[in-house]
């Protein structure tokens, strides 16, 4: 169990991830990126295991005969931030991460039809149109399959549902190509293609891990430690 001081530190780091308070914003790092000191605090608090376990039993699908281990995709029926607000999680993230958002009429501002963003993995200006929905996808920063392997397999279903729909911590709207390339990889196997976003990604990944008590592998810890030296 984390100490109260640890929880306060994580909360402050999370606040800066979401508001960019006092963190570096220069030509080499994306806006909202954490400093080296911020990442080192997170690296000191995250649990580390030698390798990624493989407990088996992961089934994301919710069709007939499937385990549906994280609940229905983008369900509003869960207690993560934004849950039970009448809008599905995917549209909540689109509304949260996009600018110049246009909603489908008569949906109570729930269904996003279009918008723009600076992609958090490539840094490129990206447009979303609902008719080409796969061009912008919702990424679990700490992948669901990885979370399952590192300990979520032992969680009760409501906690897994919360993790899968946590709009505050673990979800980002990103370009579809990079999201597909990432898959369920962790930092030792995948980092954003634009180095300017490495520190931002590391801060998000570690904040999710610490907040949910999920460990990372020793290889991931080394990758993120090396990365933090340049933040």
């Amino acid at each position: 169990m984390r100490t109260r001081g640890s929880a306060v530190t994580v909360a402050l780091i999370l606040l800066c991830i979401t508001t960019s308070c006092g963190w570096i914003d220069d030509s080499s790092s994306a806006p909202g990126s954490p400093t080296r000191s911020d990442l080192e605090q997170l690296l000191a608090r995250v649990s580390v295991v030698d390798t990624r376990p493989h407990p088996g039993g992961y089934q994301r699908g919710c069709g007939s005969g499937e385990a549906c281990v994280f609940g229905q995709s983008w369900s509003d029926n869960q207690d993560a931030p934004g849950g039970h607000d009448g809008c599905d999680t995917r549209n909540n993230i689109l509304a949260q991460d996009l600018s110049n958002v246009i909603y489908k009429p008569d949906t109570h501002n729930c269904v996003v039809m279009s918008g723009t963003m600076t992609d958090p993995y490539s840094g490129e200006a990206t447009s979303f149109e609902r008719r080409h929905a796969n061009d912008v996808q919702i990424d679990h920063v700490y992948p669901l399959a990885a979370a399952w392997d590192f300990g979520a397999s032992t969680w009760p279903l409501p906690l897994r549902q919360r993790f899968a729909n946590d709009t505050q911590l673990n979800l980002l709207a990103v370009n579809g190509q990079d999201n597909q390339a990432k898959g369920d990889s962790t930092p030792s196997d995948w980092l954003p293609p634009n180095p300017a976003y490495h520190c931002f990604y590391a801060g998000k990944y570690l904040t999710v891990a610490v907040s949910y008590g999920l460990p990372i592998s020793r290889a991931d810890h080394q990758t993120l430690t090396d990365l933090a030296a340049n933040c």
Side-chain angles (χ1 to χ4, degrees):
M1 181 178 294
R2 298 197 309 272
T3 65
R4 187 172 185 273
S6 172
V8 170
T9 299
V10 171
L12 289 173
I13 292 173
L14 171 60
L15 176 64
C16 287
I17 285 178
T18 56
T19 65
S20 304
C21 62
W23 282 5
I24 50 179
D25 184 3
D26 58 29
S27 59
S28 63
S29 295
S33 297
T35 64
R36 176 177 180 174
S37 176
D38 294 316
L39 288 179
E40 287 176 344
Q41 290 182 61
L42 288 167
L43 284 163
R45 299 184 189 281
V46 72
S47 298
V48 181
V49 296
D50 285 337
T51 59
R52 177 173 174 172
H54 293 285
Y58 175 74
Q59 285 186 322
R60 178 69 174 115
C62 294
S64 177
E66 294 180 300
C68 196
V69 296
F70 284 92
Q72 291 285 343
S73 297
W74 313 134
S75 172
D76 186 45
N77 187 25
Q78 38 73 31
D79 66 356
H84 303 292
D85 68 350
C87 303
D88 67 82
T89 303
R90 174 179 165 81
N91 276 292
N92 279 343
I93 284 292
L94 291 172
Q96 174 180 292
D97 289 359
L98 299 178
S99 301
N100 306 311
V101 173
I102 295 176
Y103 296 96
K104 184 177 181 178
D106 301 320
T107 64
H108 304 287
N109 287 353
C110 272
V111 179
V112 175
M113 297 301 293
S114 64
T116 59
M117 68 175 185
T118 300
D119 178 67
Y121 289 162
S122 69
E124 297 176 355
T126 302
S127 296
F128 168 78
E129 293 186 11
R130 187 172 173 82
R131 60 179 177 165
H132 301 300
N134 282 337
D135 290 349
V136 173
Q137 300 177 9
I138 309 302
D139 180 45
H140 292 90
V141 176
Y142 197 122
L144 295 184
W148 178 267
D149 288 347
F150 279 108
S153 59
T154 67
W155 293 352
L157 180 58
L159 180 56
R160 294 200 299 267
Q161 290 174 310
R162 178 182 178 85
F163 181 84
N165 292 278
D166 193 332
T167 58
Q168 186 177 23
L169 289 180
N170 197 32
L171 297 178
L172 285 176
V174 303
N175 76 83
Q177 182 176 355
D178 287 338
N179 189 46
Q180 293 299 311
K182 178 191 175 192
D184 68 351
S185 299
T186 58
S188 59
D189 293 317
W190 186 92
L191 290 171
N194 186 338
Y197 287 82
H198 286 182
C199 301
F200 173 81
Y201 174 70
K204 293 283 288 185
Y205 195 94
L206 285 167
T207 298
V208 175
V210 171
S211 297
Y212 278 90
L214 286 167
I216 62 175
S217 71
R218 198 162 302 283
D220 289 336
H221 192 274
Q222 186 62 60
T223 294
L224 294 171
T225 298
D226 294 343
L227 183 157
N230 296 313
C231 294

